Amino acid sequence: MTNQHQSTRGEPRVALVTCTDLVDLDPDDRLVLDPLTARGIAAEAVVWDDPDADWSSYDLVVLRSPWDYALRRDEFVAWAASVPTLVNPADVVRWNTDKRYLAELSAAGVPTVPTSWVEPGESWSPPAETGEYVLKPSVSAGSQDTGRYDLADPEHRDLAHAHVRRLSTAGRTTMVQPYLSAVDSEGETALLFLAGPDGLAYSHAIRKGPMLTGPDLGPDGLYKAEEIRPRAPRPEQLAVAERTLAAVPGGTRQLLYARVDLIPGPDGDPVLVELELTEPSLFIGYADGAPDRLATAIATHLARRA
């Protein structure tokens, strides 16, 4: 299914990749359409698994909101590999759609949330110590299948065990992380970077309010609602974001965008929660000039392929 925004012969054509539940794009992404038109770029929303989509007809294919891929990651990664004009590119998609990349970034010296992994079929019991923990699959989007558990509560311990067992039965790897309580007051800081002439450049940042209120109780939509507002990052947050991006395999010049999500650790220093390189919300509606900067980033990648 394709929703045409503009299509004029001779103009560069860009596909903005989405999913069936968002055929008209996420409202935030629609903000880039007029700036693209102003640059003479024809942009269309295209569903990633639409069998009638002709990806070869586009000069650039931009991943935006294909948020239903998590249960079909192999299919999604194979599709990405079939689209040579994809940004971010297929190698990045393969690496970034499994959050086990956090272990690689940690080994490279990036401060990350401490994480252990439960592979399908492995036995797991909640840690003996009490405290709050987050459980989620290593392949996920929109905070789906993610829960917060207070291990001092016997019912939560049982629910945590059931959560891991449910993911394991489905062939999915579980991430186990301590809940960083600073998120309740400080929130999560997402720093957005967009492509420029010399590679990625910082664009803007937002504060995301705490989202996890308790155990995972099953599907509740394509993504969980978020409380968002603009934020000016601190120098130490920018420094961690830059360290994170410096560790991306293949470098950042190949990237159209990146989102670095940080939370204060126990000592107050920022730690990486996720590095979003595949289909992040870019929150361009929360920063003056951000829709234009995204359009310029797309134009920059088009020029490199000309």
Side-chain angles (χ1 to χ4, degrees):
M1 186 177 299
T2 301
N3 294 318
Q4 184 171 310
H5 175 65
Q6 180 184 3
S7 181
T8 302
R9 187 177 301 277
E11 291 184 333
R13 298 184 70 222
V14 171
L16 301 176
V17 179
T18 185
C19 62
T20 302
D21 289 337
L22 290 168
V23 293
D24 292 319
L25 298 174
D26 183 72
D28 191 68
D29 286 328
R30 287 202 293 271
L31 297 176
V32 78
L33 295 176
D34 285 342
L36 287 173
T37 298
R39 288 162 174 78
I41 298 169
E44 304 171 4
V46 189
V47 174
W48 73 271
D49 57 354
D50 180 355
D52 296 323
D54 180 7
W55 302 107
S56 66
S57 69
Y58 297 100
D59 300 286
L60 198 67
V61 177
V62 178
L63 286 165
R64 288 312 316 124
S65 50
W67 295 334
D68 60 356
Y69 76 86
L71 297 180
R72 295 186 289 158
R73 176 179 177 261
D74 289 348
E75 179 184 347
F76 183 68
V77 168
W79 165 80
S82 75
V83 184
T85 57
L86 187 72
V87 286
N88 287 336
D91 287 350
V92 171
V93 170
R94 183 182 302 106
W95 180 75
N96 188 240
T97 49
D98 189 325
K99 294 179 179 62
R100 282 178 286 194
Y101 68 76
L102 287 171
E104 294 182 39
L105 294 177
S106 179
V110 176
T112 63
V113 178
T115 306
S116 58
W117 313 86
V118 185
E119 300 296 338
E122 289 184 349
S123 61
W124 180 82
S125 296
E129 65 269 19
T130 58
E132 291 190 289
Y133 284 78
V134 174
L135 303 180
K136 57 186 174 182
S138 67
V139 178
S140 65
S143 297
Q144 290 301 300
D145 300 302
T146 300
R148 170 181 171 184
Y149 299 88
D150 181 355
L151 297 188
D153 182 331
E155 181 181 2
H156 274 222
R157 295 181 72 86
D158 290 343
L159 288 171
H161 193 272
H163 188 164
V164 175
R165 186 169 58 247
R166 182 170 67 252
L167 293 177
S168 180
T169 299
R172 306 175 77 186
T173 297
T174 303
M175 304 168 60
V176 182
Q177 299 174 321
Y179 184 77
L180 300 180
S181 60
V183 73
D184 293 331
S185 55
E186 175 76 6
E188 182 176 318
T189 300
L191 294 90
L192 286 305
F193 295 78
L194 299 173
D198 301 317
L200 287 184
Y202 170 74
S203 171
H204 59 286
I206 58 95
R207 177 195 185 273
K208 186 186 300 184
M211 297 174 58
L212 299 180
T213 58
D216 175 52
L217 299 177
D220 57 0
L222 189 62
Y223 55 87
K224 293 185 179 179
E226 299 173 326
E227 175 194 328
I228 306 296
R229 64 173 184 255
R231 164 167 280 177
R234 297 189 297 273
E236 59 269 28
Q237 293 172 321
L238 280 166
V240 170
E242 289 166 359
R243 285 177 63 185
T244 301
L245 294 173
V248 172
T252 59
R253 187 171 172 78
Q254 63 186 320
L255 304 179
L256 175 68
Y257 50 66
R259 198 182 87 197
V260 183
D261 296 344
L262 305 175
I263 291 178
D267 58 2
D269 292 336
V271 297
L272 179 70
V273 181
E274 289 189 22
L275 171 61
E276 297 272 12
L277 303 179
T278 302
E279 31 63 34
S281 294
L282 296 176
F283 305 114
I284 57 175
Y286 292 85
D288 290 343
D292 281 306
R293 289 193 291 276
L294 178 56
T296 297
I298 290 171
T300 297
H301 272 262
L302 280 169
R304 289 177 187 170
R305 293 175 181 273

